[in-house]
Amino acid sequence: MVRPETPATLPECRQAIDRVDAALATLLERRAALAGIVQTLKPVGGFAGRDMGREQALVARMANRAPELGEARLAPIMNAVIEAGLSLAEERSAAG
């Protein structure tokens, strides 16, 4: 999934995007599961326990790996990912 592709047609481009999206879905679900475990280990979990410094450092590290996206584009993406994981963890906690 990390190897570069150069699709030559619109259908090939869409197929390549679909493969990346499938991998992203799997990775996002795994991340949410790990974030759920973290919530049970933190002294203050959920949205109240967010560590903004850690989140900013995460975005900076990601920007090093994806410099064309940069921190400004990655920050809202990771905010959404983090909030989705926290929301899922809260739902599971309330249901369990």
Side-chain angles (χ1 to χ4, degrees), residues 31 50-64 70-72 74-76 78-79 82:
R31 191 192 193 288
R50 287 180 77 168
D51 180 344
M52 300 313 285
R54 178 171 164 70
E55 292 180 23
Q56 289 170 350
L58 163 71
V59 169
R61 287 191 309 272
M62 291 180 76
N64 285 333
E71 289 185 39
L74 288 167
M78 290 313 299
N79 185 62
I82 290 164

Side-chain angles (χ1 to χ4, degrees), residues 34-51 55 82-83 85-91 93:
L34 291 168
I37 295 168
V38 167
Q39 296 312 305
T40 66
L41 301 172
K42 289 169 54 175
V44 176
F47 287 86
R50 287 180 77 168
D51 180 344
E55 292 180 23
I82 290 164
E83 288 186 357
L86 290 172
S87 176
L88 179 60
E90 285 184 354
E91 286 176 21
S93 177

